[in-house]
């Protein structure tokens, strides 16, 4: 059966997700992407993603039945829910605190900063429960929360002679299987900021994928119309 432009683009998106998660090397991504854009039938598209799980899915390592979840915002969300909490709060007075990297957020987490600052990074965190409340109190201080774009975050704090809200966010869609995090509290002559962004490693992989995709499209343009989607030319997957 003939493949449509929409189906070719869907395969290209799955390949982008795979390279962002680190499942494909850049040269392999580029080769598969070029094959996808020159494919004419479903039979040519299917092998390109046959060995790839759905985006964000954890797979078991060879010889083990235990899952090996990815870390970062591309990680398998169900595998990150239900662990025992490693921290129930953070406190900063004339100083600072941070919770980042691999840690487990309690279902009720309280952060307090007075004449100091705190950093809460949820991008590689696990969660004690699917529903989490993070209560932030900043008095002449600041607390910064960083979440992956896919996480369900609801910000409901109050700022008095200060600010409590979301800052600039990277593009990304929340996913239903991710935990729901409600961020509430008070900023009095201080600030609580919430930002959604990917880790540096994920941003780097996505940037490299975009550059590789531009290179593929440019080669197709130079090769002529016969090599584009629906054309007569094609490359076999090595």
């Amino acid at each position: 059966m003939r493949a449509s432009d929409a189906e070719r683009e869907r395969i290209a998106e799955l390949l982008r997700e795979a390279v962002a998660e680190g499942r494909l090397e850049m040269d392999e991504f580029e080769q598969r992407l070029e094959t996808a854009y020159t494919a004419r039938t479903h039979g040519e598209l299917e092998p390109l993603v046959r060995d790839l799980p759905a985006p964000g899915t954890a797979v078991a390592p060879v010889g083990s039945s235990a899952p090996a979840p990815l870390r970062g915002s591309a990680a398998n969300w169900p595998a990150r829910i239900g662990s025992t909490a490693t921290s129930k709060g953070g406190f900063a007075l004339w100083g600072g605190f941070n919770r980042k990297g691999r840690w487990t957020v309690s279902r009720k987490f309280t952060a307090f900063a007075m004449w100091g600052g705190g950093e809460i990074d949820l991008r590689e965190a696990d969660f004690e429960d699917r529903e989490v409340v993070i209560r932030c109190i900043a008095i002449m201080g600041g607390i910064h929360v960083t979440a992956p774009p896919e996480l369900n975050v609801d910000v409901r704090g109050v700022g008095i002679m200060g600010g409590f809200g979301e800052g600039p966010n990277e593009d990304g869609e929340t996913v239903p299987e991710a935990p729901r995090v409600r961020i509430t509290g008070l900023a009095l002559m201080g600030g609580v900021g919430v930002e959604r962004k990917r880790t540096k490693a994920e941003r780097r992989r996505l940037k490299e994928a975009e550059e590789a995709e531009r290179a593929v499209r440019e080669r197709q343009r130079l090769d002529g119309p016969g090599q584009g989607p629906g054309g007569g030319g094609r490359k076999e997957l090595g």
Side-chain angles (χ1 to χ4, degrees):
M1 185 179 293
R2 288 275 183 172
S4 67
D5 286 343
E7 289 165 333
R8 279 185 283 266
E9 188 57 39
R10 181 179 63 83
I11 295 298
E13 181 61 28
L14 291 174
L15 294 174
R16 294 185 204 106
E17 291 283 354
V19 77
E21 293 180 354
R23 299 189 189 278
L24 289 178
E25 296 295 333
M26 199 53 58
D27 57 346
E28 189 177 11
F29 164 75
E30 187 173 349
Q31 184 181 15
R32 294 193 189 198
L33 186 68
E34 186 164 359
T35 304
Y37 281 138
T38 57
R40 290 176 294 173
T41 67
H42 289 172
E44 294 172 275
L45 289 175
E46 184 181 351
L48 301 176
V49 294
R50 183 179 294 158
D51 60 342
L52 300 174
T57 301
V59 295
V62 175
S64 172
S65 59
L70 295 167
R71 306 307 301 176
S73 61
N76 178 30
W77 287 111
R80 295 171 64 178
I81 300 171
S83 303
T84 301
T86 59
S87 181
K88 294 185 177 182
F91 180 85
L93 177 63
W94 292 101
F97 74 85
N98 68 72
R99 301 289 184 273
K100 59 183 179 180
R102 190 167 187 176
W103 64 294
T104 302
V105 190
S106 64
R107 59 176 56 89
K108 291 185 178 181
F109 183 94
T110 299
F112 178 87
M114 183 173 182
W115 296 313
E119 179 182 356
I120 303 171
D121 193 333
L122 304 175
R123 291 175 294 181
E124 297 186 5
D126 293 330
F127 298 83
E128 185 180 22
D129 203 344
R130 183 173 296 278
E131 299 283 338
V132 169
V133 176
I134 298 179
R135 188 166 178 251
C136 298
I137 301 172
I139 301 174
M140 290 182 282
I143 298 174
H144 186 258
V145 182
T146 306
E150 297 81 9
L151 191 64
N152 298 295
V153 179
D154 182 17
V155 182
R156 297 189 180 185
V158 176
I160 300 175
M161 291 186 288
F164 199 123
E166 294 190 67
N169 296 318
E170 286 190 14
D171 291 337
E173 295 184 0
T174 59
V175 293
E177 62 267 26
R180 183 173 300 278
V181 179
R182 183 160 57 94
I183 301 175
T184 184
L186 170 69
L188 176 62
M189 292 187 287
V192 175
V194 181
E195 182 181 18
R196 300 172 192 254
K197 68 177 182 180
R198 294 180 173 84
T199 62
K200 290 182 179 179
E202 285 180 304
R203 291 202 302 272
R204 183 178 66 251
R205 287 194 294 266
L206 286 171
K207 182 179 179 181
E208 291 172 352
E210 289 173 0
E211 292 173 351
E213 186 168 357
R214 282 197 294 269
V216 167
R217 291 182 180 275
E218 180 64 15
R219 283 201 300 272
Q220 290 178 341
R221 185 184 68 82
L222 294 175
D223 286 341
Q227 301 296 321
R234 65 176 291 240
K235 260 190 182 180
E236 295 293 337
L237 179 62

